[in-house]
Amino acid sequence: MTDLLAQVKEAGVVGAGGAGFPTHIKLNARVEYVLVNGAECEPLLRANQQMLAKYAQELWQALRLVVEHTGARKGIIALKIKYEQARAALESCQPREGVYGIHLLDDFYPAGDEHVLVHEVTGRIVPEGGIPLKVGCVVINVETLLNVLGAVRGVPVTHKFVTVTGAVRKPLTASVPLGTRISALLELAGGSLIEKYGIIEGGPMMGKAVAAGDVVTKTTGGVIVLPVHHPLLQHKNESVRLNILRARAACCQCRICTDLCPRYLLGHGLEPHKIMRALGAGSLTKELTQAFLCSECGACDKFACPMGLSPRQLNSMLKQEMGKAGIRNPHGRNELKPEASRGWHKIPSNRLIARLGLEAYNVPAPLLEIEVNPQEVILPLQQHLGQPARPVVQAGEKVDRGQLIGTIPDHNAVGANLHASIRGIVESVTSSITIKRL
Ligand code: SF4
Ligand code: SF4
C-alpha cells in the first residue's frame, strides 16, 4: 500500500457524498480521469458548492495528490454552471498544467449521479451494473477530496459538513462533529418554524426520513425539516405492499418513468414501466432483474409518474429480495449508446423543486464558521460500506478529539477506522460508541 492510501485508510476517509465506500479502496487504482463531483444535484443542499468556493486552493492541492497517485492524465472538477462563486474561486487558483480542468454542468437532476457525471464530462458510458473504473474514471466527492488532504496532513475524519434547511428559522451549513444529534442541528438553525414536522436526512430525492434523536454520520449531507404532512415525507413512509397494490391498480403503462430514467437515457436496459407491469401482473419474468440497474435516484417516482407510483421503491425491494435469493445481476452490456431523446429529457432542477413542493424552502444556507460543541456524541461503528469498525476503547476511558476508537476488524476487510469527534469520556460501547464531553 502506498503512503497516500495508508494515510487515507488511517484517517478513516469514506465517500462523503454517497454510501460511504472506503476511499483507500476506491483510490487503489490506475485511471485516466479523476473527476471531482461538485454537482450537488439534490435540491436544497448547499454544502459542496460553498466548499468549492471556500476551499478552492485546498481542492486543487488534493486533486493533484490523487491525480499523481492514480497516474491519471486528467483531473477535472465538475460543478454546475450556476455556482458562479465556486467557479470564480476555482479559476483564480487553477493549476496551469493542462492536466487540470473545470467542467461546467447544466442545472439538471441527477447531474451528480456517477454514471451521468462520467458521461457528461468524458462522453463515456459506464457499462450496465458497472462502476466508473470500468471506463478509466474515478469519481470523488468534494468533501471526500478535502478529507484526503486532511489525511495526508495527519488529520482524521471527525467532522461533517451538513446543510440544515427547510422549515427552520436560519437555514445554514456548518461543519459539525460526527455523532451530533439531529435535534442539536435544529437548535443551531434556530429551531423549527412549525410544530408538527418530519425530518429528511440527505436530499429530498434520495434521503430518508429520520428522527430528531438520530445522529450525523460520515455520509450525512443534509437535514431537511418539512411539515409532517408534506407529500415528500408521506412518500418516504409508504409501505412496499401498498405500492405493489397501487402498481397493480393504477399503472397505466404510459412509460414516462422509463422515458425520464437517467440510466435508460444512457442506454442501459432499464425500463421501469416493464418492471411495474411484471409486478402488477405478479409474474416472475426476467424483466424484474432490470431492477439491478436502478440507481434509486427517484426521478421516476418523485418527478415522472403521473399516478404517484414508485418504481424506485419497488426496484429497491426487488434488489434486496433477489440478493437474498442468491440471484445476481445478469445485465452487463458495455457497448452502449445514449437515447436520442436524452438531451431534452434531462430534468431541470427548478421544475423538480416546483414538482416536489419545495419552492418556499429553496433558499441560501450560508456556510458558517462556527464551533459546534455537543455535550455528547454517538458514533455508530457502521457508518460506511463493509464491516463495522471494531472498538478499541472501553467505557470509562478518556479520549481526545481525533483519537482512534474503532479499527477495521481484519486488515484486508472492507471497512473504515473511526475516531473520536470530541474530547471526553467513553460512556458506552455497543453498536455505537457514546462519548460525553469533559
Ligand atoms: S429510481 Fe427510477 S429513474 Fe432512477 S434509475 Fe431507478 S428506475 Fe430509473
Ligand atoms: S410513469 Fe407511473 S403510470 Fe406511467 S408506466 Fe411508469 S409507473 Fe406506470
Side-chain angles (χ1 to χ4, degrees):
M1 186 175 278
T2 64
D3 283 354
L4 181 98
L5 294 185
Q7 288 161 328
V8 168
K9 184 178 181 185
E10 182 58 38
V13 184
V14 304
F21 190 73
T23 305
H24 65 276
I25 301 175
K26 187 176 211 177
L27 294 186
N28 190 11
R30 304 294 287 173
V31 294
E32 280 180 75
Y33 288 90
V34 177
L35 307 179
V36 183
N37 188 350
E40 195 158 56
C41 60
E42 279 273 12
L44 310 191
L45 301 192
R46 304 280 186 259
N48 285 347
Q49 51 202 272
Q50 295 185 85
M51 289 163 74
L52 284 166
K54 189 172 164 87
Y55 301 108
Q57 213 150 20
E58 289 85 350
L59 285 164
W60 285 123
Q61 237 179 306
L63 182 56
R64 185 183 290 279
L65 291 171
V66 177
V67 161
E68 286 172 1
H69 168 77
T70 54
R73 64 180 177 82
K74 281 276 183 195
I76 296 174
I77 299 181
L79 68 157
K80 286 191 178 165
I81 197 162
K82 69 176 179 180
Y83 302 157
E84 288 170 9
Q85 270 183 312
R87 178 185 179 180
L90 288 165
E91 283 176 351
S92 72
C93 53
Q94 184 175 351
R96 294 232 178 107
E97 306 98 294
V99 175
Y100 300 97
I102 294 172
H103 184 96
L104 299 174
L105 300 157
D106 290 335
D107 190 13
F108 70 96
Y109 184 84
D113 172 86
E114 282 197 343
H115 288 222
V116 173
L117 192 88
V118 165
H119 183 64
E120 290 290 321
V121 180
T122 69
R124 298 176 182 186
I125 299 183
V126 179
E128 289 178 345
I131 57 173
L133 198 55
K134 292 269 183 195
V135 289
C137 300
V138 70
V139 179
I140 187 164
N141 158 276
V142 171
E143 187 169 4
T144 313
L145 189 61
L146 276 183
N147 286 339
V148 168
L149 187 65
V152 171
R153 293 172 173 173
V155 181
V157 178
T158 59
H159 282 56
K160 181 77 186 72
F161 282 92
V162 182
T163 294
V164 190
T165 191
V168 292
R169 286 195 168 76
K170 291 180 295 177
L172 57 84
T173 301
S175 172
V176 304
L178 297 175
T180 303
R181 282 188 198 272
I182 286 173
S183 54
L185 298 186
L186 300 195
E187 279 172 36
L188 203 65
S192 168
L193 288 167
I194 43 181
E195 203 182 316
K196 291 191 174 168
Y197 61 86
I199 305 167
I200 292 174
E201 189 233 281
M205 297 297 281
M206 298 184 75
K208 58 179 193 289
V210 293
D214 288 341
V215 297
V216 172
T217 70
K218 291 182 182 180
T219 58
T220 305
V223 168
I224 302 170
V225 175
L226 292 174
V228 75
H229 294 302
H230 194 283
L232 258 181
L233 279 165
Q234 303 283 307
H235 219 106
K236 291 197 186 288
N237 292 326
E238 261 169 19
S239 79
V240 172
R241 194 180 133 63
L242 176 67
N243 229 319
I244 294 177
L245 290 174
R246 290 175 64 210
R248 195 166 291 161
C251 177
C252 61
Q253 287 294 290
C254 64
R255 67 164 283 154
I256 302 176
C257 51
T258 293
D259 288 337
L260 295 184
C261 170
R263 295 293 169 98
Y264 168 77
L265 291 171
L266 283 174
H268 288 199
L270 170 58
E271 295 174 284
H273 75 287
K274 290 188 178 168
I275 300 177
M276 296 298 273
R277 187 168 63 201
L279 270 176
S283 47
L284 288 174
T285 68
K286 195 177 170 228
E287 274 157 0
L288 294 181
T289 63
Q290 291 183 9
F292 280 118
L293 305 181
C294 172
S295 66
E296 301 182 33
C297 70
C300 52
D301 61 350
K302 299 202 183 60
F303 188 82
C305 182
M307 312 302 280
L309 306 178
S310 181
R312 176 200 54 80
Q313 190 202 42
L314 297 179
N315 285 346
S316 173
M317 175 276 291
L318 281 169
K319 281 191 272 186
Q320 282 175 29
E321 293 303 317
M322 289 189 288
K324 280 189 217 157
I327 300 169
R328 297 280 166 261
N329 172 26
H331 307 278
R333 288 186 307 136
N334 59 11
E335 295 293 322
L336 303 173
K337 268 199 189 140
E339 287 293 314
S341 60
R342 184 171 183 270
W344 65 89
H345 275 168
K346 292 175 181 171
I347 300 172
S349 296
N350 54 359
R351 290 209 28 224
L352 178 63
I353 288 167
R355 181 72 60 89
L356 295 174
L358 293 175
E359 280 167 310
Y361 306 117
N362 188 24
V363 296
L367 173 52
L368 304 182
E369 296 255 4
I370 44 175
E371 188 75 20
V372 180
N373 295 312
Q375 285 309 306
E376 175 190 87
V377 291
I378 302 167
L379 297 143
L381 293 167
Q382 175 94 68
Q383 40 186 298
H384 51 263
L385 280 183
Q387 295 186 20
R390 179 170 53 80
V392 293
V393 289
Q394 293 177 346
E397 218 173 292
K398 272 189 193 165
V399 288
D400 277 322
R401 172 171 157 174
Q403 181 178 328
L404 187 71
I405 56 172
T407 60
I408 301 173
D410 155 15
H411 188 64
N412 294 317
V414 175
N417 285 346
L418 184 62
H419 301 80
S421 58
I422 60 171
R423 181 166 178 268
I425 292 192
V426 176
E427 193 176 67
S428 64
V429 180
T430 55
S431 57
S432 303
I433 297 177
T434 301
I435 303 171
K436 283 256 186 232
R437 179 171 291 283
L438 260 182

